[in-house]
Coordinates of all heavy atoms in Angstrom, one line a residue:
M272 N -12.9 44.4 -24.9 CA -12.7 44.3 -23.5 C -11.7 45.3 -23.0 O -10.7 45.6 -23.6 CB -12.0 42.9 -23.2 CG -13.0 41.8 -23.0 SD -12.0 40.4 -22.4 CE -13.3 39.2 -22.4
S273 N -12.0 45.8 -21.8 CA -11.1 46.8 -21.2 C -9.9 46.1 -20.6 O -9.9 44.8 -20.4 CB -11.8 47.6 -20.2 OG -12.1 46.9 -19.0
E274 N -8.9 46.8 -20.3 CA -7.7 46.3 -19.6 C -8.0 45.6 -18.3 O -7.4 44.6 -17.9 CB -6.6 47.3 -19.5 CG -5.3 46.8 -19.1 CD -4.2 47.8 -19.1 OE1 -4.2 48.7 -20.0 OE2 -3.3 47.8 -18.2
G275 N -8.9 46.2 -17.5 CA -9.3 45.7 -16.2 C -10.0 44.4 -16.3 O -9.7 43.4 -15.5
Q276 N -10.8 44.2 -17.3 CA -11.5 43.0 -17.6 C -10.6 41.8 -18.0 O -10.7 40.7 -17.5 CB -12.6 43.1 -18.6 CG -13.8 44.0 -18.2 CD -14.8 44.2 -19.3 OE1 -14.3 44.4 -20.5 NE2 -16.0 44.4 -19.0
V277 N -9.6 42.2 -18.8 CA -8.6 41.2 -19.2 C -7.8 40.8 -18.0 O -7.5 39.6 -17.9 CB -7.7 41.8 -20.3 CG1 -6.5 40.9 -20.6 CG2 -8.5 42.1 -21.6
E278 N -7.4 41.7 -17.2 CA -6.6 41.3 -16.0 C -7.4 40.4 -15.0 O -6.9 39.5 -14.5 CB -6.1 42.6 -15.3 CG -5.0 43.3 -16.0 CD -4.6 44.6 -15.3 OE1 -5.2 44.9 -14.2 OE2 -3.7 45.3 -15.8
E279 N -8.7 40.8 -14.9 CA -9.5 39.9 -14.0 C -9.7 38.5 -14.6 O -9.6 37.6 -13.9 CB -10.9 40.6 -13.8 CG -11.8 39.9 -12.9 CD -11.3 39.8 -11.5 OE1 -10.5 40.7 -11.0 OE2 -11.6 38.8 -10.8
R280 N -9.9 38.5 -15.9 CA -10.0 37.2 -16.5 C -8.7 36.4 -16.4 O -8.8 35.1 -16.2 CB -10.4 37.4 -18.0 CG -10.7 36.1 -18.7 CD -11.3 36.3 -20.1 NE -11.5 35.0 -20.7 CZ -11.7 34.9 -22.0 NH1 -11.6 35.9 -22.8 NH2 -11.9 33.7 -22.5
L281 N -7.6 37.0 -16.6 CA -6.3 36.4 -16.4 C -6.1 35.8 -15.0 O -5.7 34.7 -14.8 CB -5.2 37.3 -16.8 CG -3.8 36.7 -16.8 CD1 -3.6 35.6 -17.7 CD2 -2.8 37.8 -17.1
R282 N -6.5 36.6 -14.0 CA -6.4 36.2 -12.6 C -7.3 34.9 -12.4 O -6.9 34.0 -11.7 CB -6.8 37.3 -11.7 CG -5.7 38.3 -11.4 CD -6.1 39.2 -10.2 NE -5.5 40.5 -10.4 CZ -6.1 41.5 -10.9 NH1 -7.4 41.5 -11.2 NH2 -5.5 42.7 -11.1
T283 N -8.5 35.0 -12.9 CA -9.4 33.8 -12.8 C -8.8 32.6 -13.4 O -8.8 31.5 -12.9 CB -10.8 34.2 -13.4 OG1 -11.3 35.3 -12.8 CG2 -11.7 33.0 -13.2
I284 N -8.3 32.7 -14.6 CA -7.7 31.6 -15.3 C -6.5 31.0 -14.6 O -6.3 29.8 -14.4 CB -7.3 32.0 -16.8 CG1 -8.6 32.2 -17.6 CG2 -6.5 30.9 -17.4 CD1 -8.4 32.8 -18.9
E285 N -5.6 31.9 -14.1 CA -4.5 31.5 -13.3 C -4.9 30.8 -12.0 O -4.3 29.8 -11.6 CB -3.6 32.7 -13.0 CG -2.8 33.2 -14.1 CD -2.0 34.4 -13.8 OE1 -2.2 35.1 -12.8 OE2 -1.1 34.8 -14.6
L286 N -5.9 31.3 -11.3 CA -6.4 30.6 -10.1 C -7.0 29.2 -10.5 O -6.7 28.3 -9.8 CB -7.5 31.5 -9.5 CG -8.2 30.9 -8.2 CD1 -7.2 30.7 -7.1 CD2 -9.3 31.8 -7.8
N287 N -7.8 29.1 -11.5 CA -8.3 27.8 -11.9 C -7.2 26.9 -12.3 O -7.2 25.7 -12.0 CB -9.3 28.0 -13.1 CG -10.6 28.6 -12.7 OD1 -10.9 28.6 -11.5 ND2 -11.3 29.2 -13.6
N288 N -6.1 27.4 -13.0 CA -5.0 26.5 -13.3 C -4.3 26.0 -12.1 O -3.9 24.8 -12.0 CB -4.1 27.3 -14.2 CG -3.0 26.4 -14.8 OD1 -3.2 25.3 -15.0 ND2 -1.8 27.0 -15.0
A289 N -4.1 26.9 -11.1 CA -3.4 26.5 -9.9 C -4.3 25.4 -9.1 O -3.7 24.4 -8.6 CB -3.2 27.7 -9.0
L290 N -5.6 25.6 -9.1 CA -6.5 24.6 -8.4 C -6.4 23.3 -9.1 O -6.4 22.2 -8.5 CB -7.9 25.2 -8.4 CG -8.1 26.4 -7.4 CD1 -9.5 26.9 -7.6 CD2 -7.9 26.0 -6.0
L291 N -6.4 23.3 -10.5 CA -6.4 22.1 -11.2 C -5.1 21.4 -11.0 O -5.0 20.1 -10.9 CB -6.7 22.3 -12.7 CG -8.1 22.7 -13.0 CD1 -8.2 23.1 -14.5 CD2 -9.0 21.5 -12.8
A292 N -4.0 22.1 -11.0 CA -2.7 21.5 -10.8 C -2.6 20.9 -9.4 O -2.0 19.7 -9.3 CB -1.6 22.6 -10.9
Q293 N -3.2 21.5 -8.4 CA -3.2 20.9 -7.0 C -4.0 19.6 -7.0 O -3.7 18.6 -6.4 CB -3.7 21.9 -6.0 CG -3.8 21.4 -4.6 CD -2.5 20.9 -4.1 OE1 -1.5 21.5 -4.4 NE2 -2.5 19.9 -3.3
E294 N -5.2 19.7 -7.7 CA -6.0 18.5 -7.8 C -5.3 17.3 -8.4 O -5.4 16.2 -8.0 CB -7.3 18.8 -8.5 CG -8.4 17.7 -8.5 CD -9.7 18.1 -9.1 OE1 -9.8 19.3 -9.4 OE2 -10.5 17.2 -9.3
V295 N -4.6 17.6 -9.5 CA -3.9 16.5 -10.2 C -2.8 16.0 -9.3 O -2.6 14.7 -9.3 CB -3.3 17.1 -11.5 CG1 -2.3 16.1 -12.1 CG2 -4.4 17.3 -12.5
A296 N -2.1 16.8 -8.6 CA -1.1 16.3 -7.7 C -1.7 15.4 -6.6 O -1.1 14.4 -6.2 CB -0.3 17.5 -7.1
Q297 N -2.8 15.8 -6.1 CA -3.5 15.1 -5.0 C -4.0 13.7 -5.6 O -3.8 12.7 -4.9 CB -4.7 15.8 -4.5 CG -5.4 15.1 -3.3 CD -4.5 15.0 -2.1 OE1 -3.7 15.9 -1.8 NE2 -4.6 13.8 -1.5
L298 N -4.5 13.7 -6.8 CA -4.9 12.5 -7.4 C -3.7 11.5 -7.6 O -3.8 10.3 -7.4 CB -5.6 12.7 -8.7 CG -7.0 13.4 -8.6 CD1 -7.5 13.7 -10.0 CD2 -8.0 12.4 -7.9
H299 N -2.6 12.1 -8.0 CA -1.4 11.2 -8.2 C -1.0 10.6 -6.8 O -0.6 9.4 -6.8 CB -0.2 12.1 -8.7 CG -0.2 12.2 -10.2 ND1 0.0 11.2 -11.1 CD2 -0.4 13.3 -10.9 CE1 -0.1 11.7 -12.3 NE2 -0.4 13.0 -12.2
Q300 N -1.1 11.4 -5.7 CA -0.7 10.8 -4.4 C -1.7 9.7 -4.0 O -1.3 8.7 -3.5 CB -0.7 11.9 -3.4 CG 0.4 12.9 -3.5 CD 0.3 14.0 -2.5 OE1 -0.7 14.1 -1.8 NE2 1.3 14.8 -2.4
D301 N -3.0 9.9 -4.3 CA -4.0 8.9 -4.0 C -3.8 7.6 -4.8 O -3.9 6.5 -4.2 CB -5.4 9.5 -4.3 CG -5.8 10.6 -3.3 OD1 -5.1 10.8 -2.3 OD2 -6.8 11.3 -3.6
I302 N -3.5 7.8 -6.1 CA -3.3 6.6 -6.9 C -2.0 5.8 -6.4 O -2.0 4.6 -6.4 CB -3.2 7.0 -8.4 CG1 -4.5 7.4 -8.9 CG2 -2.6 5.9 -9.2 CD1 -4.5 8.0 -10.3
D303 N -1.0 6.6 -6.1 CA 0.2 5.9 -5.6 C 0.0 5.1 -4.3 O 0.4 4.0 -4.1 CB 1.4 6.9 -5.4 CG 1.9 7.5 -6.7 OD1 1.7 6.8 -7.7 OD2 2.6 8.5 -6.6
A304 N -0.8 5.7 -3.4 CA -1.2 5.1 -2.2 C -2.0 3.8 -2.4 O -1.8 2.8 -1.8 CB -1.9 6.0 -1.2
L305 N -2.9 3.9 -3.4 CA -3.8 2.8 -3.7 C -2.9 1.7 -4.3 O -3.1 0.5 -4.0 CB -4.9 3.2 -4.7 CG -5.8 2.1 -5.2 CD1 -6.6 1.6 -4.0 CD2 -6.8 2.7 -6.2
N306 N -2.0 2.0 -5.2 CA -1.2 1.0 -5.9 C -0.3 0.3 -4.8 O -0.1 -0.9 -4.9 CB -0.3 1.6 -6.9 CG -1.1 1.9 -8.2 OD1 -2.1 1.3 -8.4 ND2 -0.5 2.8 -9.0
S307 N 0.2 1.1 -3.9 CA 1.0 0.5 -2.8 C 0.2 -0.5 -2.0 O 0.7 -1.6 -1.7 CB 1.5 1.6 -1.9 OG 2.3 1.1 -0.8
G308 N -1.0 -0.1 -1.7 CA -1.9 -1.0 -0.9 C -2.2 -2.3 -1.7 O -2.2 -3.4 -1.1
V309 N -2.5 -2.2 -2.9 CA -2.8 -3.3 -3.8 C -1.6 -4.2 -3.9 O -1.7 -5.5 -3.7 CB -3.3 -2.9 -5.2 CG1 -3.4 -4.1 -6.1 CG2 -4.7 -2.2 -5.0
G310 N -0.5 -3.7 -4.1 CA 0.8 -4.5 -4.2 C 1.0 -5.2 -2.9 O 1.4 -6.4 -2.9
R311 N 0.8 -4.5 -1.8 CA 1.1 -5.2 -0.5 C 0.1 -6.3 -0.3 O 0.4 -7.4 0.2 CB 0.9 -4.1 0.7 CG 1.3 -4.6 2.0 CD 1.2 -3.5 3.1 NE 2.0 -2.3 2.7 CZ 1.5 -1.1 2.6 NH1 0.2 -0.9 2.8 NH2 2.2 -0.1 2.2
G312 N -1.2 -6.1 -0.6 CA -2.2 -7.2 -0.5 C -1.9 -8.4 -1.4 O -2.0 -9.5 -0.9
L313 N -1.4 -8.1 -2.6 CA -1.0 -9.3 -3.5 C 0.2 -10.0 -2.9 O 0.2 -11.3 -3.0 CB -0.7 -8.7 -4.9 CG -1.9 -8.3 -5.7 CD1 -1.4 -7.7 -7.0 CD2 -2.9 -9.4 -5.9
W314 N 1.1 -9.3 -2.3 CA 2.2 -10.0 -1.6 C 1.8 -10.9 -0.5 O 2.2 -12.0 -0.3 CB 3.3 -9.0 -1.1 CG 4.3 -8.7 -2.2 CD1 4.3 -7.5 -2.8 CD2 5.3 -9.4 -2.7 NE1 5.4 -7.5 -3.7 CE2 6.0 -8.7 -3.7 CE3 5.8 -10.7 -2.4 CZ2 7.1 -9.2 -4.4 CZ3 6.9 -11.2 -3.2 CH2 7.5 -10.4 -4.1
I315 N 0.8 -10.4 0.3 CA 0.3 -11.2 1.4 C -0.5 -12.4 0.9 O -0.3 -13.5 1.4 CB -0.6 -10.3 2.3 CG1 0.2 -9.3 3.0 CG2 -1.4 -11.1 3.3 CD1 -0.6 -8.2 3.7
I316 N -1.3 -12.3 -0.1 CA -2.0 -13.4 -0.7 C -1.0 -14.4 -1.3 O -1.2 -15.6 -1.1 CB -3.0 -12.9 -1.7 CG1 -4.2 -12.1 -1.0 CG2 -3.6 -14.1 -2.5 CD1 -5.1 -11.4 -2.0
G317 N -0.1 -13.9 -2.0 CA 0.9 -14.8 -2.6 C 1.7 -15.6 -1.6 O 2.0 -16.8 -1.7
G318 N 2.1 -14.9 -0.5 CA 2.8 -15.5 0.6 C 2.0 -16.6 1.3 O 2.5 -17.6 1.7
G319 N 0.7 -16.4 1.4 CA -0.2 -17.4 1.9 C -0.3 -18.6 1.1 O -0.2 -19.7 1.6
F320 N -0.3 -18.5 -0.2 CA -0.3 -19.6 -1.1 C 1.0 -20.4 -1.0 O 1.0 -21.6 -1.0 CB -0.6 -19.2 -2.6 CG -2.0 -19.0 -2.9 CD1 -2.4 -17.7 -3.3 CD2 -3.0 -20.0 -2.8 CE1 -3.8 -17.5 -3.6 CE2 -4.3 -19.7 -3.1 CZ -4.7 -18.5 -3.5
I321 N 2.1 -19.7 -1.0 CA 3.4 -20.3 -0.9 C 3.5 -21.1 0.5 O 4.0 -22.2 0.5 CB 4.5 -19.3 -1.0 CG1 4.6 -18.8 -2.5 CG2 5.9 -19.9 -0.6 CD1 5.5 -17.6 -2.7
A322 N 3.1 -20.5 1.5 CA 3.1 -21.1 2.8 C 2.2 -22.4 2.8 O 2.6 -23.4 3.4 CB 2.7 -20.2 3.9
A323 N 1.0 -22.3 2.2 CA 0.1 -23.5 2.2 C 0.8 -24.6 1.3 O 0.7 -25.7 1.7 CB -1.2 -23.1 1.6
F324 N 1.4 -24.2 0.2 CA 2.1 -25.2 -0.6 C 3.2 -25.9 0.2 O 3.4 -27.1 0.1 CB 2.6 -24.6 -1.9 CG 3.3 -25.5 -2.8 CD1 2.5 -26.5 -3.5 CD2 4.6 -25.5 -3.0 CE1 3.2 -27.4 -4.4 CE2 5.3 -26.4 -3.8 CZ 4.5 -27.3 -4.5
E325 N 4.0 -25.1 0.9 CA 5.1 -25.6 1.7 C 4.6 -26.5 2.8 O 5.2 -27.6 3.0 CB 6.0 -24.5 2.3 CG 6.8 -23.8 1.3 CD 7.6 -22.6 1.9 OE1 7.4 -22.4 3.1 OE2 8.3 -21.9 1.1
G326 N 3.5 -26.1 3.4 CA 2.9 -27.0 4.4 C 2.4 -28.3 3.8 O 2.6 -29.4 4.5
W327 N 1.9 -28.3 2.7 CA 1.4 -29.5 2.0 C 2.6 -30.4 1.7 O 2.5 -31.6 1.9 CB 0.7 -29.1 0.7 CG 0.2 -30.3 -0.1 CD1 -0.8 -31.1 0.3 CD2 0.7 -30.7 -1.3 NE1 -1.0 -32.0 -0.7 CE2 -0.1 -31.8 -1.7 CE3 1.7 -30.2 -2.2 CZ2 0.1 -32.4 -3.0 CZ3 1.9 -30.8 -3.4 CH2 1.1 -31.9 -3.8
I328 N 3.7 -29.8 1.2 CA 4.9 -30.6 0.9 C 5.5 -31.2 2.2 O 5.8 -32.4 2.2 CB 6.0 -29.8 0.2 CG1 5.5 -29.3 -1.2 CG2 7.3 -30.5 0.1 CD1 5.3 -30.4 -2.2
V329 N 5.6 -30.5 3.2 CA 6.2 -30.9 4.5 C 5.3 -32.0 5.1 O 5.8 -33.0 5.7 CB 6.4 -29.7 5.5 CG1 6.7 -30.2 6.9 CG2 7.4 -28.8 5.0
S330 N 4.0 -31.9 4.9 CA 3.1 -32.9 5.5 C 3.0 -34.2 4.7 O 2.3 -35.1 5.0 CB 1.7 -32.4 5.8 OG 1.1 -32.1 4.5
G331 N 3.7 -34.3 3.6 CA 3.8 -35.5 2.8 C 3.3 -35.4 1.4 O 3.5 -36.2 0.6
G332 N 2.7 -34.3 1.1 CA 2.4 -34.0 -0.3 C 1.5 -35.0 -0.9 O 0.4 -35.4 -0.3
M333 N 1.8 -35.6 -2.0 CA 1.0 -36.6 -2.7 C 1.2 -38.0 -2.2 O 0.6 -38.9 -2.7 CB 1.2 -36.5 -4.2 CG 0.7 -35.2 -4.8 SD 1.0 -34.9 -6.6 CE 1.1 -36.5 -7.3
A334 N 2.1 -38.2 -1.3 CA 2.4 -39.5 -0.7 C 1.3 -40.1 0.1 O 1.3 -41.2 0.4 CB 3.7 -39.5 0.1
K335 N 0.4 -39.2 0.6 CA -0.6 -39.7 1.5 C -1.6 -40.5 0.8 O -2.2 -40.4 -0.2 CB -1.3 -38.5 2.1 CG -0.5 -37.9 3.2 CD -1.3 -36.8 3.8 CE -0.6 -36.2 5.0 NZ -1.4 -35.2 5.7

């Protein structure tokens, strides 16, 4: 290989490496956003169960 071919190959590899690094960073951001949304949804569902249980206790629970 000539020196020019080696330099061109090195540029291509560096470009591909930079693109892959950006893609990995983007995927990390997407996963973090997804985890945040899932966590928020679980808190809402859990809060709903707690509110329903409290309502059941306040309305008399098993005394009915």
Side-chain angles (χ1 to χ4, degrees):
M272 272 191 184
S273 69
E274 189 174 324
Q276 290 173 328
V277 171
E278 288 178 1
E279 183 61 33
R280 186 171 180 200
L281 181 60
R282 278 191 212 100
T283 303
I284 291 171
E285 287 176 343
L286 177 63
N287 287 339
N288 187 32
L290 291 172
L291 288 173
Q293 178 61 34
E294 185 176 351
V295 167
Q297 183 64 39
L298 288 173
H299 278 291
Q300 289 176 352
D301 292 346
I302 289 172
D303 289 342
L305 181 64
N306 285 339
S307 175
V309 169
R311 189 175 306 123
L313 289 175
W314 274 106
I315 290 171
I316 291 171
F320 281 119
I321 291 171
F324 181 72
E325 289 176 1
W327 178 70
I328 294 293
V329 169
S330 68
M333 292 179 25
K335 287 185 174 182

